């Protein structure tokens, strides 16, 4: 299937590893020009080098999604380097695990800045140009916790729900301007985030295998599988998919809808 995004400019935050990097790779495979944004230059440089090696046009910028000025700056720099952002993948690291009763104001503030306001600010910066040009694709990366909370991830559960509400609201506001806004809800995906969350287990490989065994597919997901979903939602073909929260969890969630 031709996705129709050859030459489109994509900005992927949190794009140096894991799901963000896989999204950047999937978009690049479809011919998009990709700007990878993340906090560390080593990871960004490595991701950009790999993308260029595969023949893609790719650039890297440093940004911190938890910095109030970071998202708008990322969009401005991406546009200065490559051109107007057509495709925005709003992604960042997840908040640290913990129970609701143990989280203090500092923890809440960081999670809200990074995972809720960071997404809002990023979208606010890229959206006016998309609307003016009559074409845009925004994909947020959250979690299946939007549908079914995950024990021990209080900050994540709450901030993802905020993003889901914002996406659904915005999708209706911009639908007439050729812009779609969708939300991807990954289940267990084998990335550094998963490895970190399981790092307290004595045998990491066994813990990953055990996590996979609890999924109906008998395995955990691959970041590339999420990347391909992001690329489709960012495509011209997905013009009528708007405001959706799309789960990619191997069928693990029992929630209907
Ligand atoms: P990851 O930790 O492997 O990668 C996160 C990426 O974001 C890295 O490139 C990192 O450098 C970057 N990053 C982190 N904080 C940032 C910040 N403040 N500003 C800019 N960049 C930042 O995570 P992942 O597994 O790829 O997950 C991506 C998102 O999906 C996270 O929000 C995660 O919580 C969520 N998620 C992951 C899973 C999973 O199983 N892996 C499941 C559900 C939800």
């Amino acid at each position: 299937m031709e996705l129709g995004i050859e030459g489109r400019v994509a900005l992927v935050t949190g794009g140096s590893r894991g799901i963000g990097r896989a999204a950047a790779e999937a978009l690049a495979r479809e011919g998009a020009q990709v700007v990878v944004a993340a906090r560390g230059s080593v990871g960004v440089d490595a991701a950009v080098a790999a993308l260029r090696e595969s023949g893609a046009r790719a650039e890297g910028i440093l940004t911190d999604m938890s910095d109030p000025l970071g998202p708008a700056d990322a969009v401005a720099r991406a546009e200065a380097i490559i051109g107007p952002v057509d495709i925005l993948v709003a992604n960042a690291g997840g908040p640290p695990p913990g129970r609701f009763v143990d989280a203090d104001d500092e923890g809440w503030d960081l999670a809200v800045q990074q995972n809720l306001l960071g997404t809002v600010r990023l979208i606010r910066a890229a959206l006016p140009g998309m609307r003016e040009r009559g074409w845009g694709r925004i994909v947020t990366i959250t979690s299946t916790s939007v549908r079914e909370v995950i024990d021990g991830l209080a900050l994540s559960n709450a901030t993802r729900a905020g993003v889901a509400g914002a996406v659904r609201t915005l999708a209706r506001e911009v639908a007439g301007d050729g812009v779609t806004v969708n939300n991807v809800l990954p289940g267990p995906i084998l990335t550094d985030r998963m490895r970190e969350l399981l790092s307290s287990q004595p045998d990491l490989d066994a813990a990953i295998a055990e996590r996979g065994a609890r999924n109906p597919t008998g395995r955990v997901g691959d970041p590339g599988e999420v990347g391909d979903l992001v690329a489709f939602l960012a495509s011209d073909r997905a013009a009528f998919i708007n405001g959706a929260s799309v789960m990619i969890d191997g069928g693990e969630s029992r929630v209907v809808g």
Side-chain angles (χ1 to χ4, degrees), residues 59-86:
E59 302 288 343
I61 57 176
L62 296 185
T63 194
D64 184 347
M65 288 282 282
S66 66
D67 176 342
L69 302 178
D73 177 64
V75 171
R77 278 190 294 148
E79 302 208 326
I81 296 170
I82 292 201
V85 171
D86 303 305

Side-chain angles (χ1 to χ4, degrees), residues 13-21 36-40 43-44 62-67 90-95 110 114-115 141-145 150 153 156 160 184-197 221 223:
T13 61
S16 66
R17 60 181 205 190
I19 291 169
R21 179 162 172 173
V36 171
R39 286 175 307 184
V44 169
L62 296 185
T63 194
D64 184 347
M65 288 282 282
S66 66
D67 176 342
N91 173 57
L110 184 57
Q114 177 168 291
N115 295 101
I141 309 294
T142 58
S143 166
T144 54
S145 67
I150 300 171
L153 290 181
S156 177
R160 310 313 190 168
V184 166
L185 282 46
I189 310 296
L190 185 54
T191 65
D192 290 346
R193 163 86 171 165
M194 175 181 280
R195 292 187 187 92
E196 280 155 22
L197 289 174

